[in-house]
Amino acid sequence: MSIKAQKAAGGHDTPALPLEEARKRILDAVTALTDDESVGLHQALHRVLAEPVSAAIDVPAHTNSAMDGYALRGEDAVTADAELTLIGESFAGRPFAGSLGPGQCIRIMTGAVVPDGADTVIMQEQAERDGERVRFAKAAKPGANVRPAGEDLKRGDTALAPGRWLTAADLGVLASVGVPEVRVRRRPRVAFFSTGDELKPVGQPLEPGQIHDSNRYTLFGLLTELGVEIEDLGIVPDQRDALDQALQKASRCDAVLSTGGASVGDADYVVEALEKLGNVGFWQVAMKPGRPLAFGRINQAWFFGLPGNPVSAMVTFLQLVRPALVKLAGSTPALPLQVSLPVTADIRKRPGRREFQRGRLVTGESGPAVAPFGHQGSGVLRSMSEADCLINLPPELGDVAAGQSVLVEPFAQPIWNGA
Ligand code: AMP
Ligand code: MG
């Protein structure tokens, strides 16, 4: 049945796909871009590594001290009140030139090379110095406070594997092995636009019945965080021609995202346009918010027609679009990390479809809990802004009583599957 006929029948003829099935279909369809390029570390954040990076050196390069204190032979201070002779000092970057004999110690700072002969560091708080003599009140634990060379990475170890979506810590790891440049995959180019005759750009006053286009800003943020290249195509009116043109133009990119116009209303043309210009993979997902989601292909681009409601647009992006873009970028998307927590208040829910409510992680009377946001309307973007997690209520679930445990998906969670 054509999209037009399905809509005429109320849009409910196509059974909406379960969320997992929708995600599976998207991830089965999307394949990784293969081109790659070299970039410096400052350009590598949130890019996907194309080749393994192995350590050409031990990290740390030398056995060094974990404390400010005194380096000595552990066997010289295995009993309390040992007294040793101070013969020098080792600072970070300025090692002690000689080696240590029995009965001797040197002053040593955190990160400084532990000299030959020494195997133990005693922290300065446990030492008492009198000229050349240093007394250690407590017995030493041989080997204590010494960080062996290669403790972090040994020469030849794989520091980072290909497919990694590079994080801030990863940039540090690359620098620690002395790598100034890495091969990364080409960034997916993602075009996006908003549809709706009611939308006004920010900076322009609203006429009666108009609202500001907020979705494009949310998407700008979500896409920028992901590290993809973006092309903002602005606001497209609810007209078939305008929509066709926007989609054609956008389909030069690797992926296209629209918001609005994907539902069953009389001015909702997105899915019809997708059917005409490309292929509809599926339309409608059994979730709330986010039912009117369309997925398909136009020319070389994967197309995601997101709902117009700001919360629905964001939830569908996080659940379905982001994993697809991570795969397109050459990485392995992380599936939402779920933890089980008791809710602080009753939740009303009808069984039959999956629902995502906005929540906040709180410390309840008996430990960690999740507080559902009071107003759960899919137009209430503030609920998303104030939330720090989604409460994932599976289809079979009905009303939930306060104290019952629910699945919670924190917003701060891995984007790619680094496990
Ligand atoms: P639609 O999916 O086009 O039926 O839109 C659903 C709701 O989301 C309507 O109330 C729209 O006014 C609103 N909406 C659509 N697009 C946007 C947008 N870009 N920014 C803010 N609200 C929007
Ligand atoms: Mg609309």
Side-chain angles (χ1 to χ4, degrees):
M1 204 195 301
S2 74
I3 296 295
K4 209 164 181 168
Q6 284 175 43
K7 281 167 63 171
H12 299 292
D13 264 29
T14 11
L17 279 184
L19 174 64
E20 292 81 1
E21 175 65 19
R23 191 185 286 131
K24 183 174 182 315
R25 285 215 207 166
I26 292 173
L27 292 178
D28 283 350
V30 172
T31 52
L33 301 173
T34 51
D35 311 340
D36 57 41
E37 58 181 328
S38 280
V39 295
L41 295 192
H42 284 133
Q43 276 72 49
L45 185 66
H46 300 168
R47 300 294 300 269
V48 174
L49 203 59
E51 289 176 352
V53 175
S54 49
I57 51 169
D58 280 341
V59 181
H62 313 279
T63 297
N64 67 93
S65 177
M67 291 279 178
D68 294 327
Y70 294 87
L72 45 94
R73 295 167 176 252
E75 66 200 50
D76 282 350
V78 283
T79 51
D81 293 324
E83 218 176 281
L84 304 180
T85 307
L86 186 72
I87 60 158
E89 55 190 25
S90 180
F91 281 73
R94 282 189 281 135
F96 174 67
S99 65
L100 215 83
Q104 297 180 330
C105 66
I106 62 156
R107 179 94 174 102
I108 195 164
M109 305 302 155
T110 304
V113 176
V114 174
D116 284 347
D119 58 13
T120 303
V121 170
I122 298 182
M123 60 201 284
Q124 62 190 26
E125 290 81 354
Q126 290 170 5
E128 212 176 291
R129 183 174 162 187
D130 181 9
E132 304 280 272
R133 305 294 294 165
V134 189
R135 223 184 103 237
F136 302 97
K138 275 192 171 165
K141 230 173 79 208
N145 304 319
V146 170
R147 306 190 286 211
E151 175 186 53
D152 190 343
L153 282 165
K154 289 208 171 24
R155 176 147 48 128
D157 281 355
T158 299
L160 298 174
R164 212 179 166 87
W165 183 80
L166 296 169
T167 62
D170 294 337
L171 300 189
V173 169
L174 290 167
S176 77
V177 295
V179 167
E181 269 193 355
V182 282
R183 293 297 293 177
V184 292
R185 298 289 183 98
R186 170 170 84 76
R187 293 198 294 167
R189 289 181 58 212
V190 182
F192 60 106
F193 59 86
S194 298
T195 71
D197 286 342
E198 74 280 31
L199 302 177
K200 236 355 191 335
V202 287
Q204 294 183 20
L206 298 178
E207 311 285 335
Q210 294 185 325
I211 57 170
H212 286 301
D213 172 11
S214 64
N215 285 345
R216 246 171 348 115
Y217 290 87
T218 305
L219 285 181
F220 164 83
L222 289 165
L223 292 167
T224 303
E225 279 175 353
L226 201 52
V228 299
E229 203 177 306
I230 56 177
E231 194 170 326
D232 183 343
L233 298 181
I235 298 171
V236 177
D238 290 318
Q239 291 161 15
R240 272 300 304 259
D241 288 354
L243 200 56
D244 286 0
Q245 274 174 30
L247 283 173
Q248 283 288 11
K249 183 168 178 221
S251 68
R252 295 175 316 204
C253 290
D254 302 301
V256 178
L257 277 49
S258 67
T259 67
S263 192
V264 293
D266 293 342
D268 294 338
Y269 299 124
V270 168
V271 196
E272 281 169 55
L274 173 65
E275 191 179 44
K276 182 183 142 199
L277 302 174
N279 299 305
V280 182
F282 63 79
W283 174 46
Q284 304 201 119
V285 180
M287 64 191 274
K288 184 192 170 188
R291 181 181 168 96
L293 178 95
F295 169 66
R297 191 147 172 96
I298 307 176
N299 298 325
Q300 291 311 297
W302 297 107
F303 174 75
F304 300 87
L306 308 185
N309 271 312
V311 176
S312 317
M314 207 172 164
V315 171
T316 47
F317 179 91
L318 295 174
Q319 293 293 323
L320 295 165
V321 183
R322 189 166 74 180
L325 297 179
V326 170
K327 185 159 184 210
L328 188 63
S331 191
T332 321
L335 292 182
L337 172 76
Q338 299 176 332
V339 291
S340 179
L341 288 176
V343 270
T344 59
D346 294 350
I347 295 178
R348 296 190 60 81
K349 175 180 179 294
R350 263 193 299 139
R353 68 178 164 200
R354 189 173 297 275
E355 249 183 71
F356 287 97
Q357 295 215 355
R358 273 66 65 211
R360 275 193 80 85
L361 303 169
V362 294
T363 306
E365 275 166 25
S366 43
V370 62
F373 189 76
H375 194 337
Q376 292 282 344
S378 57
V380 182
L381 188 51
R382 209 163 46 81
S383 72
M384 207 66 193
S385 163
E386 291 188 3
D388 55 14
C389 62
L390 290 175
I391 303 171
N392 182 339
L393 305 165
E396 63 279 6
L397 202 68
D399 290 345
V400 180
Q404 219 174 306
S405 283
V406 288
L407 290 178
V408 173
E409 300 179 4
F411 287 159
Q413 60 168 286
I415 283 175
W416 77 289
N417 179 11

